[in-house]
Amino acid sequence: MKLKSQLRYHARALVVGAILAATLVLSLIWMTPAARPVGVAMKDIPFYRLPFGPDDAGTERPFWPSRLQSHSGQFSDPDRLPSAAECGNCHQREFQEWAGSLHAIADRDLIYEATVEANENADKRHPERARFCEGCHAPAEMLSGRVNRFVSVGPSDALTEGVACITCHTATHADGEAGNGAITLAYGRAEAERDAPQGAALLADPRAHLNAFAAPETTALLKSAQLCGSCHVEIYDMSNSRAEVAQPVQTTFLEWQSSWYARQGITCQDCHMASDPAAQVMAIRAGNTAKPERYSHRFVGGNHLLTDTGLGDALSVLRGGMLPGMDAATTKATLDVQSRQTTALLRSAAGLELRASNRDADGLHLDIAVQNLGAGHNLPTGVNDQKHIWLEVVLTDPTGAEVFRSGGAAERLGVEDPAAVTWIEHFLDSKGRRLSDHLTFSTAKVVWMRKPIPPRGEDVVRYDVALPDGTAGPLHLSVKLFYRIALPELIFTNLRRDMALPSFTMAELSVDLPDSSP
Amino acid sequence: MRLKIAMTMTTVVFAGAAFAATEEQGLESVKAFTLEHNDALIVEAEKMQTAAEDYAALIDANGGDYVAAWAAEPQKLAESVQALRAQWLAASNQYETIEGIVAGIPSTAKYDLILDAGNPGTEAEGVAEFDLTLPDGTVLEKPGSLFHTITEPLFWGTDKDHVKVEADLNGNGSADPGEVLFDANLALGAAQGMVKWAKALRDDMAAWEPNRDDAFTAVVTMTPTVGDYFGEWKESQFLGGDEAAFVAQSRLIDVLGIMGGCQLMYSAAVSPVVATSDAALDSAVTNDFDELIALVSETREREAAGETFSAEEADALGSEAQDIAERIVSQVLQAAAKNGVEIKG
């Protein structure tokens, strides 16, 4: 009774308030400008070239030889694409994590840039062949029509950010088996979202934001290894190289796909986006396959060079300078974490074991197992004409004198050690000559010098050591498994710099061998 | 302030080069600019030939025995290799400045293949159609471009087929990548070829009748090279290594010269066309060129005054220069499309 009286008392004010609110909402709807059409037709990009022609069905291939696709079939207006720095206004933690990643500098890193240029020089008549590289390294540049002999589209911050927020968060399709950038991106959704409420107003009406960046197919892909596979599988053929027979060059996703990890439902994201990737790997090694509590945007991987904060100013130059939205202090802070996590992850991947040691009249025979303990893909993986691992094996006598050595730290040798047991692939040109500077466009064949080690697998390496006469025991065995991200020849040839490239110690073994002199 | 410095530097670089009143006058100045750099290319190629003769003489003095030559004259040979590399860069820079024009003109396009962009005869397309005769009489049939197929890999030791002996050229105690003595016969023959073909290009360039398409092509192909040159300046300060190429003078001086040339060509030959169809666009491009030259000039002034740049500063400057250049090119290409200009290359 009392309540009804109060309602009657306030009825007029409530009705007026409701009418005002409805009027306000309707006014806002009426005042909101109609969504502008998004997308740019190819014909509106002056001098955009299609030097490789249509596909077999006669369909134009604006991004070939990359398999990248635009969801709408349109190009994008770079001024309407949100940069990661803009996303960082609200998603600050994710932005700063990402800023330390290799994804953030995929199109800025100096070594990559110089290598693309070297490839372009190898085929000066068709600079558009670089679309093969840029599809994965610079999707925003590609979808804006800037990867072209004549660049008639202006620059913007969003185009400099490599694999950025909008790359993954607008993906609508990805094909890890096909690779070569087989990903479809709905950048048009990101462009359209610019006309919707931004900033604080976005919280009141997040529908457009969710439609743009959290569409159901995108959300499903974000959890899928297929998304990663679209760029972490690289196959050379006549469209992008001189390979008459398809040459699998980078097969990281395929290696994972046939592994124990895939069967357990452990995806790329579970390790490389874990907030502590090394701890996650160690947990998996211990049999705990639980998903991470939080996914980070660091995408921690194996690039120990471009996260090496010990390089000082050179690191900043190699990484292509400061990202939009970052300053020196925040860059250093995020790179310090990235560096620690990269180092720890690399050290969680491999192991060494001495399986056998026998001495007879011919000398000493050692069986050393190199184990892939924590990587859900081969060791090494990626572009393995550059990324490689090798063994250093040293035997010393009781006086500490070296009686045998195979391999050595790259810093000491300065060049690839031909005597070392090395897991590396060689790119060969059409005359069978080795290309050590990642000249994709000139590569005709790719061969492994020693097959990489599959997930949870091992490679037992035999050393038959002819010991010098009179070698007395007991001997001490020291083994190191080294990893290096690139060959010095790549840096010298493409960057014209005689830069020391640090090697990374992934695993060590130190054993006093039983004295079994014959 | 920045603009004032730019104006001063541009005046220094292009003293006497009057801005054209008409498109026709502007086109003539483009031709003059091209011939000027072609002449400079010949001069640098001749210096390269002299350096190659000196190198070959050191090898010949030891009966063609590279090991013996290195043992006898390590210092002179190291200096000789550095001289060849420095001359290669000097010649290449001159050519790169006019490559857009050379490649874009039908009567001179073949020289772009011979000098810089052509493939060897073993390739299916883009073959440099010439044979190279070496001092010992050997004839290399369709060997590829003189700059990139032959001399660059030869002088920097990446042409493994013509490496004669590894040599510690920089005296740091080990023969690092690229530290080699290479085939003197090929070095001299290629340098002679460079002079010969640079002169042949000069003859055909002198006969060229300038036109609008070529002028636009030159601006849009040359201006974006600012990033490469600026990048070399930036990298040379922080990455160490083989800095011999940039010790003679700051790379920024080259940047200023080349970008000044681009500005001249735009102002002289392209602006009259753009202004007619879109005055606002012409004004925007003109302002962007002023800004670009000012940025380079000011940076050079600071460097000359002894200022050192942090990696972040150098990077920011390089990025800013490249952004301005890309903005210029995109606008000039849009103007080209509006005016039915054909961009070649």
Side-chain angles (χ1 to χ4, degrees):
Chain A
M1 186 67 184
K2 195 174 181 180
L3 188 66
K4 282 183 180 174
S5 300
Q6 285 192 355
L7 186 63
R8 270 200 303 276
Y9 180 77
H10 292 296
R12 178 172 296 179
L14 285 171
V15 168
V16 170
I19 291 171
L20 282 174
T23 306
L24 183 64
V25 168
L26 289 171
S27 301
L28 282 173
I29 292 172
W30 179 74
M31 285 163 55
T32 302
R36 285 184 286 167
V38 296
V40 179
M42 187 161 59
K43 66 177 174 55
D44 293 328
I45 300 178
F47 303 103
Y48 194 76
R49 306 203 310 183
L50 300 173
F52 308 112
D55 63 17
D56 291 341
T59 308
E60 284 179 340
R61 301 183 293 182
F63 309 115
W64 192 257
S66 166
R67 293 181 180 273
L68 178 71
Q69 297 285 333
S70 161
H71 183 81
S72 65
Q74 298 273 80
F75 284 78
S76 291
D77 175 355
D79 292 331
R80 287 175 65 86
L81 291 176
S83 72
E86 289 175 77
C87 303
N89 289 334
C90 293
H91 303 282
Q92 196 171 45
R93 182 177 181 181
E94 288 77 9
F95 169 65
Q96 289 186 359
E97 288 172 345
W98 167 86
S101 74
L102 269 293
H103 278 176
I105 58 166
D107 189 34
R108 305 169 71 95
D109 127 39
L110 204 58
I111 300 170
Y112 166 73
E113 290 275 284
T115 304
V116 172
E117 197 175 322
N119 274 283
E120 286 172 341
N121 283 338
D123 186 5
K124 278 193 132 185
R125 295 286 133 190
H126 294 123
E128 288 83 4
R129 205 177 292 283
R131 288 173 191 162
F132 174 69
C133 317
E134 304 281 47
C136 285
H137 282 264
E141 294 254 34
M142 287 279 280
L143 291 172
S144 302
R146 279 175 50 87
V147 185
N148 195 48
R149 172 73 179 92
F150 302 111
V151 186
S152 61
V153 179
S156 79
D157 277 354
L159 304 185
T160 67
E161 294 175 330
V163 181
C165 314
I166 55 174
T167 311
C168 298
H169 288 276
T170 67
T172 58
H173 179 74
D175 184 344
E177 284 84 7
N180 289 2
I183 186 169
T184 303
L185 302 177
Y187 275 17
R189 292 177 184 173
E191 291 176 76
E193 195 263 354
R194 300 304 285 258
D195 293 328
Q198 300 288 315
L202 186 153
L203 294 175
D205 181 7
R207 288 171 301 171
H209 196 69
L210 293 172
N211 285 342
F213 303 117
E217 70 268 42
T218 302
T219 303
L221 265 181
L222 289 175
K223 298 173 185 168
S224 160
Q226 289 279 351
L227 181 67
C228 314
S230 61
C231 278
H232 290 275
V233 165
E234 199 178 348
I235 298 166
Y236 288 1
D237 56 32
M238 288 301 283
S239 75
N240 50 42
S241 69
R242 297 196 177 279
E244 292 178 7
V245 176
Q247 302 288 306
V249 172
Q250 180 180 183
T251 53
T252 309
F253 167 78
L254 303 173
E255 296 154 13
W256 165 85
Q257 198 176 36
S258 59
S259 77
W260 173 86
Y261 292 86
R263 292 191 292 277
Q264 301 303 310
I266 301 167
T267 63
C268 317
Q269 293 88 330
D270 292 340
C271 294
H272 294 283
M273 292 183 70
S275 53
D276 184 345
Q280 184 73 15
V281 168
M282 294 309 288
I284 293 169
R285 282 174 59 170
N288 178 4
T289 59
K291 299 281 182 185
E293 286 185 11
R294 176 182 174 270
Y295 287 88
S296 143
H297 282 69
R298 292 193 174 280
F299 308 100
V300 175
N303 197 320
H304 60 98
L305 178 69
L306 293 176
T307 54
D308 185 350
T309 46
L311 292 171
D313 275 345
L315 178 63
S316 174
V317 176
L318 286 171
R319 286 181 65 97
M322 194 88 70
L323 284 161
M326 294 293 283
D327 57 33
T330 47
T331 299
K332 182 180 183 313
T334 198
L335 280 173
D336 281 342
V337 178
Q338 193 83 22
S339 178
R340 280 199 302 275
Q341 293 201 346
T342 302
T343 300
L345 182 65
L346 280 168
R347 294 213 168 109
S348 71
L352 291 168
E353 272 187 15
L354 178 64
R355 286 291 162 75
S357 165
N358 300 301
R359 188 167 178 181
D360 58 23
D362 295 330
L364 182 64
H365 308 285
L366 300 169
D367 286 332
I368 298 168
V370 182
Q371 304 163 304
N372 181 346
L373 299 174
H377 45 69
N378 289 351
L379 271 185
T381 194
V383 281
N384 295 122
D385 66 312
Q386 298 300 320
K387 298 178 181 180
H388 62 285
I389 57 176
W390 76 97
L391 276 178
E392 179 188 76
V393 176
V394 179
L395 279 169
T396 50
D397 69 14
T399 69
E402 199 172 286
V403 296
F404 172 77
R405 165 181 288 275
S406 171
E411 296 98 324
R412 291 202 299 276
L413 294 168
V415 292
E416 193 182 346
D417 177 7
V421 172
T422 306
W423 290 262
I424 191 169
E425 60 186 7
H426 285 183
F427 283 9
L428 307 177
D429 69 11
S430 50
K431 290 180 178 170
R433 296 176 301 196
R434 186 182 175 196
L435 301 166
S436 54
D437 43 1
H438 203 71
L439 285 183
T440 297
F441 301 166
S442 302
T443 299
K445 196 173 180 187
V446 179
V447 290
W448 274 100
M449 295 296 100
R450 190 177 185 100
K451 292 284 184 189
I453 306 162
R456 292 164 70 93
E458 65 177 28
D459 187 352
V460 179
V461 183
R462 161 60 66 96
Y463 286 85
D464 293 315
V465 182
L467 293 171
D469 287 344
T471 302
L475 299 175
H476 181 80
L477 172 68
S478 171
V479 185
K480 289 181 180 175
L481 179 65
F482 285 114
Y483 167 66
R484 193 164 48 183
I485 193 74
L487 297 171
E489 289 93 326
L490 175 90
I491 306 295
F492 178 77
T493 308
N494 294 349
L495 274 183
R496 290 280 166 71
R497 296 281 176 268
D498 184 14
M499 249 181 68
L501 273 181
S503 56
F504 185 88
T505 309
M506 294 185 75
E508 294 182 73
L509 175 68
S510 181
V511 183
D512 286 322
L513 300 178
D515 189 7
S516 54
S517 305
Chain B
M1 176 62 180
R2 183 181 275 188
L3 185 60
K4 189 177 172 186
I5 295 169
M7 295 299 284
T8 307
M9 296 299 288
T10 308
T11 307
V12 169
V13 173
F14 298 106
F19 278 60
T22 67
E23 184 187 4
E24 288 69 27
Q25 289 172 328
L27 287 169
E28 281 306 321
S29 70
V30 170
K31 179 173 177 177
F33 175 85
T34 310
L35 285 170
E36 178 190 332
H37 284 276
N38 200 150
D39 287 340
L41 166 65
I42 293 169
V43 170
E44 301 300 348
E46 285 174 339
K47 288 182 189 169
M48 190 197 299
Q49 183 179 323
T50 303
E53 286 165 355
D54 293 344
Y55 175 76
L58 288 167
I59 303 298
D60 285 347
N62 289 276
D65 183 336
Y66 288 79
V67 175
W70 177 244
E73 299 284 5
Q75 185 65 31
K76 285 184 180 174
L77 278 165
E79 288 171 2
S80 185
V81 171
Q82 290 301 347
L84 275 166
R85 290 179 178 179
Q87 279 312 128
W88 185 95
L89 282 161
S92 175
N93 287 344
Q94 291 300 336
Y95 181 71
E96 294 290 335
T97 306
I98 56 173
E99 182 182 13
I101 304 172
V102 174
I105 302 170
S107 63
T108 60
K110 70 179 179 188
Y111 296 106
D112 184 48
L113 295 173
I114 293 169
L115 289 167
D116 195 69
N119 291 321
T122 50
E123 301 296 330
E125 57 182 20
V127 173
E129 296 290 344
F130 80 110
D131 298 336
L132 181 66
T133 303
L134 305 182
D136 70 354
T138 306
V139 177
L140 303 178
E141 294 181 6
K142 297 179 184 174
S145 77
L146 287 162
F147 274 121
H148 291 298
T149 313
I150 303 173
T151 49
E152 184 182 21
L154 184 69
F155 296 167
W156 273 270
T158 54
D159 173 3
K160 306 291 186 201
D161 293 344
H162 293 96
V163 168
K164 294 298 183 182
V165 62
E166 291 186 349
D168 178 17
L169 298 175
N170 62 11
N172 71 348
S174 66
D176 300 324
E179 290 197 294
V180 301
L181 297 185
F182 41 80
D183 188 341
N185 184 48
L186 179 58
L188 182 52
Q192 290 168 339
M194 196 83 79
V195 173
K196 172 186 165 182
W197 289 106
K199 286 180 175 174
L201 168 61
R202 212 270 178 208
D203 291 342
D204 279 356
M205 187 58 72
W208 167 59
E209 291 180 8
N211 58 77
R212 183 182 290 182
D213 290 353
D214 295 342
F216 270 80
T217 299
V219 171
V220 302
T221 52
M222 286 161 53
T223 310
T225 62
V226 71
D228 294 340
Y229 295 120
F230 224 99
E232 285 166 0
W233 168 75
K234 178 186 71 183
E235 292 153 22
S236 67
Q237 298 177 82
F238 299 104
L239 298 186
D242 183 11
E243 295 174 354
F246 310 124
V247 294
Q249 64 175 10
S250 168
R251 202 70 171 140
L252 289 179
I253 294 174
D254 298 335
V255 179
L256 198 56
I258 295 163
M259 289 307 115
C262 294
Q263 184 186 37
L264 174 68
M265 264 185 276
Y266 180 79
S267 306
V270 177
S271 173
V273 182
V274 179
T276 304
S277 62
D278 191 336
L281 186 61
D282 175 55
S283 175
V285 176
T286 301
N287 289 338
D288 282 342
F289 262 121
D290 286 343
E291 192 182 339
L292 177 61
I293 297 294
L295 172 67
V296 183
S297 304
E298 187 180 286
T299 308
R300 173 60 195 145
E301 292 273 300
R302 289 167 61 191
E303 183 187 51
E307 184 173 343
T308 53
F309 297 86
S310 71
E312 284 80 12
E313 285 173 320
D315 250 320
L317 289 164
S319 298
E320 189 180 347
Q322 186 64 20
D323 277 358
I324 300 169
E326 290 183 8
R327 213 163 56 219
I328 290 169
V329 170
S330 64
Q331 292 173 119
V332 173
L333 282 168
Q334 286 159 19
K338 278 184 187 173
N339 287 282
V341 172
E342 184 186 352
I343 301 295
K344 299 168 182 173

